[in-house]
Amino acid sequence: QFGANSGGGFVDQNRAEYVIRNIGRTTRIEDLRSLVVTTKQGQSIILSQVATVGYAPRFKRGDAGANGQPAVILSVQKQPGADTVALTRAVERALADLGKTLPPGVKA
Protein backbone atom coordinates (compact mmCIF):
# COMPACT_ATOMS: atom_id res chain seq x y z
CA GLN A 1 0.00 0.00 0.00
CA PHE A 2 3.01 2.29 -0.36
CA GLY A 3 2.06 5.65 -1.72
CA ALA A 4 -1.68 5.03 -1.76
CA ASN A 5 -4.15 7.87 -1.46
CA SER A 6 -7.25 7.23 0.59
CA GLY A 7 -10.41 8.93 1.68
CA GLY A 8 -10.70 10.16 5.23
CA GLY A 9 -14.41 10.90 5.35
CA PHE A 10 -15.58 14.43 6.00
CA VAL A 11 -16.02 16.97 8.77
CA ASP A 12 -18.76 19.55 9.27
CA GLN A 13 -17.64 23.02 10.35
CA ASN A 14 -19.69 26.19 10.31
CA ARG A 15 -22.40 24.74 8.06
CA ALA A 16 -19.80 23.55 5.53
CA GLU A 17 -18.74 20.00 4.79
CA TYR A 18 -15.03 19.45 4.15
CA VAL A 19 -13.73 16.29 2.54
CA ILE A 20 -10.69 14.77 4.19
CA ARG A 21 -8.10 13.17 1.90
CA ASN A 22 -4.98 11.30 2.94
CA ILE A 23 -2.38 12.02 0.27
CA GLY A 24 0.31 9.39 0.43
CA ARG A 25 1.80 9.51 -3.04
CA THR A 26 5.40 10.42 -3.48
CA THR A 27 7.66 10.90 -6.46
CA ARG A 28 10.86 10.37 -4.49
CA ILE A 29 12.63 7.04 -4.87
CA GLU A 30 14.30 7.67 -1.51
CA ASP A 31 10.89 7.29 0.13
CA LEU A 32 10.46 3.89 -1.47
CA ARG A 33 13.97 2.81 -0.44
CA SER A 34 13.12 3.73 3.17
CA LEU A 35 9.84 1.84 3.23
CA VAL A 36 9.58 -0.55 6.19
CA VAL A 37 8.71 -4.01 4.84
CA THR A 38 8.80 -5.94 8.12
CA THR A 39 10.19 -5.96 11.62
CA LYS A 40 12.46 -8.60 13.18
CA GLN A 41 13.11 -8.66 16.90
CA GLY A 42 11.83 -5.11 17.19
CA GLN A 43 14.06 -3.79 14.38
CA SER A 44 12.64 -2.31 11.20
CA ILE A 45 13.79 -3.89 7.95
CA ILE A 46 13.63 -1.39 5.11
CA LEU A 47 13.25 -2.22 1.45
CA SER A 48 16.76 -1.10 0.49
CA GLN A 49 18.17 -3.70 2.91
CA VAL A 50 16.56 -6.57 1.02
CA ALA A 51 16.32 -5.30 -2.56
CA THR A 52 17.93 -3.03 -5.07
CA VAL A 53 15.63 -0.07 -5.56
CA GLY A 54 16.16 1.97 -8.69
CA TYR A 55 14.79 3.06 -12.01
CA ALA A 56 14.48 0.69 -14.94
CA PRO A 57 12.71 0.68 -18.28
CA ARG A 58 9.01 -0.03 -18.11
CA PHE A 59 7.80 -3.39 -19.27
CA LYS A 60 6.32 -3.15 -22.71
CA ARG A 61 2.61 -3.80 -22.57
CA GLY A 62 0.13 -4.33 -25.32
CA ASP A 63 2.19 -6.42 -27.74
CA ALA A 64 -0.09 -8.67 -29.69
CA GLY A 65 0.09 -10.89 -32.71
CA ALA A 66 -2.09 -12.70 -35.19
CA ASN A 67 -0.80 -15.36 -37.60
CA GLY A 68 2.78 -14.57 -36.64
CA GLN A 69 2.45 -10.85 -37.45
CA PRO A 70 2.19 -7.79 -35.17
CA ALA A 71 -1.40 -6.96 -34.38
CA VAL A 72 -3.68 -4.96 -32.12
CA ILE A 73 -6.18 -6.82 -29.97
CA LEU A 74 -9.39 -5.07 -28.95
CA SER A 75 -11.21 -6.19 -25.84
CA VAL A 76 -14.65 -4.94 -24.85
CA GLN A 77 -15.99 -5.69 -21.39
CA LYS A 78 -19.70 -5.66 -20.65
CA GLN A 79 -20.97 -2.99 -18.33
CA PRO A 80 -24.12 -3.54 -16.28
CA GLY A 81 -27.19 -2.61 -18.29
CA ALA A 82 -25.32 -2.43 -21.60
CA ASP A 83 -26.95 -3.77 -24.77
CA THR A 84 -24.22 -6.11 -26.02
CA VAL A 85 -25.90 -6.72 -29.38
CA ALA A 86 -26.13 -2.99 -30.11
CA LEU A 87 -22.57 -2.48 -28.90
CA THR A 88 -21.27 -5.28 -31.12
CA ARG A 89 -22.98 -3.74 -34.14
CA ALA A 90 -21.55 -0.31 -33.32
CA VAL A 91 -18.03 -1.74 -32.98
CA GLU A 92 -18.40 -3.58 -36.29
CA ARG A 93 -19.53 -0.35 -38.01
CA ALA A 94 -16.62 1.58 -36.49
CA LEU A 95 -14.14 -1.07 -37.66
CA ALA A 96 -15.62 -1.02 -41.18
CA ASP A 97 -15.27 2.80 -41.27
CA LEU A 98 -11.73 2.54 -39.92
CA GLY A 99 -10.82 -0.02 -42.55
CA LYS A 100 -11.47 2.57 -45.29
CA THR A 101 -8.74 4.84 -43.94
CA LEU A 102 -5.98 2.35 -43.14
CA PRO A 103 -2.67 2.54 -44.99
CA PRO A 104 -1.69 -0.18 -47.48
CA GLY A 105 -0.85 -3.49 -45.80
CA VAL A 106 -2.87 -2.72 -42.68
CA LYS A 107 -6.26 -4.34 -42.26
CA ALA A 108 -8.91 -4.59 -39.59
Side-chain angles (χ1 to χ4, degrees):
Q1 297 295 329
F2 173 76
N5 292 341
S6 63
F10 62 92
V11 64
D12 287 314
Q13 286 186 336
N14 302 323
R15 295 182 166 176
E17 184 177 282
Y18 296 93
V19 177
I20 300 170
R21 294 181 57 212
N22 302 308
I23 307 298
R25 291 188 188 236
T26 181
T27 57
R28 296 171 12 103
I29 198 163
E30 295 81 16
D31 294 335
L32 183 58
R33 286 187 183 115
S34 302
L35 178 70
V36 176
V37 293
T38 191
T39 56
K40 295 288 183 183
Q41 299 174 350
Q43 294 289 329
S44 296
I45 307 297
I46 61 174
L47 186 58
S48 63
Q49 291 175 306
V50 297
T52 301
V53 181
Y55 292 101
R58 291 184 179 194
F59 289 104
K60 190 171 183 181
R61 293 188 62 176
D63 273 357
N67 300 321
Q69 298 293 317
V72 175
I73 296 176
L74 172 68
S75 175
V76 178
Q77 297 178 349
K78 184 182 183 317
Q79 296 293 313
D83 182 340
T84 56
V85 173
L87 176 61
T88 300
R89 289 181 181 143
V91 169
E92 289 170 343
R93 280 192 304 274
L95 287 173
D97 289 343
L98 178 66
K100 298 172 189 173
T101 64
L102 296 175
V106 177
K107 60 184 178 181

